[in-house]
Amino acid sequence: GESVGLHLPTLSVQEGDNSIINCAYSNSASDYFIWYKQESGKGPQFIIDIRSNMDKRQGQRVTVLLNKTVKHLSLQIAATQPGDSAVYFCAEKFQGAQKLVFGQGTRLTINP
Amino acid sequence: DAGVTQSPTHLIKTRGQQVTLRCSPKSGHDTVSWYQQALGQGPQFIFQYYEEEERQRGNFPDRFSGHQFPNYSSELNVNALLLGDSALYLCASSRTGRETQYFGPGTRLLVL
């Protein structure tokens, strides 16, 4: 079936530390993956994406890693800041499809 | 550059009523997707519109229908509202040939 899951529903880190949010996906035919950040009362905000022909992509303070062998996706946030507190969703797109399939999300809390 | 906009921001309806939600895509985008997000869950794909036609549909009943206008804006209509339709309705826009979907702030629908 369709499912994009997350290993941890909540994650708490100290300000300034690095955060790693993990995601497992089930469809080996997925060819595109994306991470969103959603703050309370707002819509999901695009963070970074990666295609299946890549295994790593870097943005500003964020890195996405894709391991197709074990169908695992991770989002690394460097030097976390209070503004990084939010729910983070990974999503996948099946090859040939238009829709994004989302997981439940991980709530990231930054401790001062 | 305006992002994705949605109206209204909040809406309260009673069971059996009908509702219309509106979305204007990001400038330069021609594809609109609608998602339903229940509290504490990830967004669920409803359908996608491109060239004024429904291109793909998720597992939602026929009570959910949509429309796309020549200016690429879109409407989501829900008939015979049920209590379970209470959710955040998200619109996402994208450009043909690009997978990245950008979300609006959503419309919070409460069905009493």
Side-chain angles (χ1 to χ4, degrees):
Chain A
E2 304 172 354
S3 68
V4 176
L6 292 165
H7 295 313
L8 295 172
T10 60
L11 179 63
S12 184
V13 300
Q14 292 297 121
E15 183 178 349
D17 287 352
N18 298 332
S19 302
I20 300 176
I21 302 173
N22 295 303
C23 177
Y25 64 94
S26 60
N27 193 329
S28 57
S30 292
D31 60 359
Y32 174 77
F33 305 88
I34 187 166
W35 282 98
Y36 289 97
K37 170 187 178 183
Q38 188 172 27
E39 297 173 280
S40 181
K42 297 184 179 180
Q45 176 188 352
F46 168 76
I47 302 173
I48 192 167
D49 56 1
I50 188 168
R51 291 191 170 86
S52 59
N53 61 352
M54 303 173 67
D55 53 20
K56 181 179 180 179
R57 194 170 185 213
Q58 289 183 293
Q60 187 175 9
R61 281 203 307 121
V62 295
T63 300
V64 57
L65 299 177
L66 176 62
N67 186 331
K68 294 181 287 293
T69 302
V70 294
K71 291 186 286 187
H72 183 267
L73 190 69
S74 68
L75 175 70
Q76 300 178 3
I77 305 174
T80 50
Q81 304 167 357
D84 293 330
S85 293
V87 176
Y88 288 80
F89 290 98
C90 66
E92 65 181 312
K93 187 183 77 66
F94 304 160
Q95 189 174 23
Q98 309 301 324
K99 67 179 182 181
L100 294 176
V101 177
F102 283 80
Q104 291 275 5
T106 293
R107 180 171 297 281
L108 177 64
T109 301
I110 310 302
N111 300 316
Chain B
D1 177 24
V4 180
T5 59
Q6 293 186 242
S7 63
T9 56
H10 296 81
L11 205 51
I12 299 175
K13 292 286 187 178
T14 56
R15 282 178 297 174
Q17 285 189 311
Q18 178 264 342
V19 67
T20 297
L21 310 181
R22 295 176 176 81
C23 170
S24 291
K26 190 176 168 68
S27 178
H29 289 188
D30 55 7
T31 302
V32 173
S33 303
W34 287 92
Y35 292 81
Q36 180 196 65
Q37 186 176 24
L39 201 61
Q41 305 289 321
Q44 297 287 319
F45 177 79
I46 302 175
F47 42 55
Q48 184 181 86
Y49 276 84
Y50 171 67
E51 291 190 338
E52 302 180 47
E53 292 191 357
E54 184 181 288
R55 181 155 68 174
Q56 187 176 12
R57 188 179 183 91
N59 295 325
F60 281 81
D62 292 344
R63 298 186 297 108
F64 289 77
S65 63
H67 188 78
Q68 185 179 34
F69 299 93
N71 67 351
Y72 309 120
S73 66
S74 176
E75 287 182 349
L76 164 66
N77 301 292
V78 187
N79 294 323
L81 285 166
L82 303 174
L83 296 180
D85 294 333
S86 295
L88 180 67
Y89 288 86
L90 295 161
C91 169
S93 73
S94 55
R95 187 180 300 180
T96 305
R98 305 278 183 91
E99 292 103 336
T100 310
Q101 296 184 19
Y102 295 88
F103 283 84
T107 293
R108 174 74 62 187
L109 173 65
L110 178 61
V111 182
L112 301 175

